[in-house]
């Protein structure tokens, strides 16, 4: 495909979003297939307590080019409660990788979170080689920060042996520099409930 055809195909894509439980079946099946290819053996879906929202890039015929989930929860840190959101299950159809489509969807997700007055920050983990991908979409790394998910009995931390994770973030508060500093280089407990992918 020529650069012009690639740009034209990318321009035909539109971002659509749904609460995870309300994704139309035809789209949900495609998302599940993309996730199964990317993470064989994984179980689709997220903990409903995290208010999962699915964002998709879809073409005019209803083919999903890229998908991700936005998860929300409150995080208590330093005597303050932050209304946090995170990205999870970010995936692009293999046939269209390398064309900026995944980055376009991640940037759209960041813009949606930044415009939501009910979100103070976006915070998630990714494989370290993917950190530049998220930086290009407007997220900045939090050096030394460790996210701890799982349960109190079975915690799962981003610095666990065998993990090579980075923690990208974006702050949308009235004092983003102060809040970034509060989250830099600390262990952040994410939730006392079930383990969820990336969160």
């Amino acid at each position: 495909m020529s650069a012009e055809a690639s740009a034209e195909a990318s321009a035909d894509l539109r971002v659509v979003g749904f609460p995870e439980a309300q994704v139309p079946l035809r789209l949900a099946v495609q998302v599940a297939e993309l996730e199964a290819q990317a993470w064989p053996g994984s179980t689709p879906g997220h903990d409903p307590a995290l208010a999962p929202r699915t964002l998709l890039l879809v073409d005019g015929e209803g083919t999903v080019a890229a998908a991700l989930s936005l998860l929300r929860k409150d995080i208590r840190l330093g005597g303050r409660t932050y209304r946090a959101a995170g990205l999870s299950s970010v995936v692009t159809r293999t046939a269209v990788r390398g064309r900026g489509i995944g980055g376009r969807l991640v940037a759209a997700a960041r813009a949606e979170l930044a415009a939501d007055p009910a979100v103070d920050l976006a915070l998630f983990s990714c494989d370290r080689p993917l950190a530049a991908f998220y930086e290009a979409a407007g997220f900045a790394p939090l050096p030394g920060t460790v996210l701890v998910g799982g349960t109190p009995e079975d915690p799962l931390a981003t610095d666990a042996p065998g993990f090579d994770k980075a923690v990208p973030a974006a702050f949308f508060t009235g004092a983003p520099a102060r809040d970034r500093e509060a989250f830099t280089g600390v262990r952040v407990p994410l939730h006392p409930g079930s383990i969820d992918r990336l969160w």
Side-chain angles (χ1 to χ4, degrees), residues 64-183:
V64 175
L68 63 77
S69 295
L70 298 174
L71 308 176
R72 295 168 186 255
K73 71 170 297 14
D74 289 345
I75 294 176
R76 188 108 175 109
L77 184 69
R80 179 167 174 204
T81 299
Y82 292 86
R83 298 164 303 173
L87 276 61
S88 182
S89 306
V90 179
V91 64
T92 301
R93 186 171 295 283
T94 305
V96 295
R97 286 186 185 156
R99 299 181 191 170
I101 290 170
R104 179 175 160 194
L105 184 60
V106 170
R110 187 192 182 288
E112 180 174 310
L113 295 173
D116 186 341
V119 175
D120 295 321
L121 63 103
L123 178 75
F124 55 98
S125 67
C126 69
D127 292 336
R128 195 163 303 281
L130 295 174
F133 168 78
Y134 291 103
E135 284 183 56
F139 294 94
L142 286 175
T145 299
V146 175
L147 304 184
V148 183
T151 65
E153 300 79 29
D154 189 19
L156 179 63
T158 58
D159 67 347
F163 278 24
D164 187 21
K165 301 290 183 179
V167 178
F171 291 81
F172 313 121
T173 61
R178 176 203 66 201
D179 294 322
R180 173 173 293 285
E181 185 176 319
F183 275 84

Side-chain angles (χ1 to χ4, degrees), residues 170-198:
F171 291 81
F172 313 121
T173 61
R178 176 203 66 201
D179 294 322
R180 173 173 293 285
E181 185 176 319
F183 275 84
T184 299
V186 298
R187 293 181 78 80
V188 181
L190 291 180
H191 72 85
S194 61
I195 293 175
D196 201 78
R197 269 180 297 196
L198 299 184

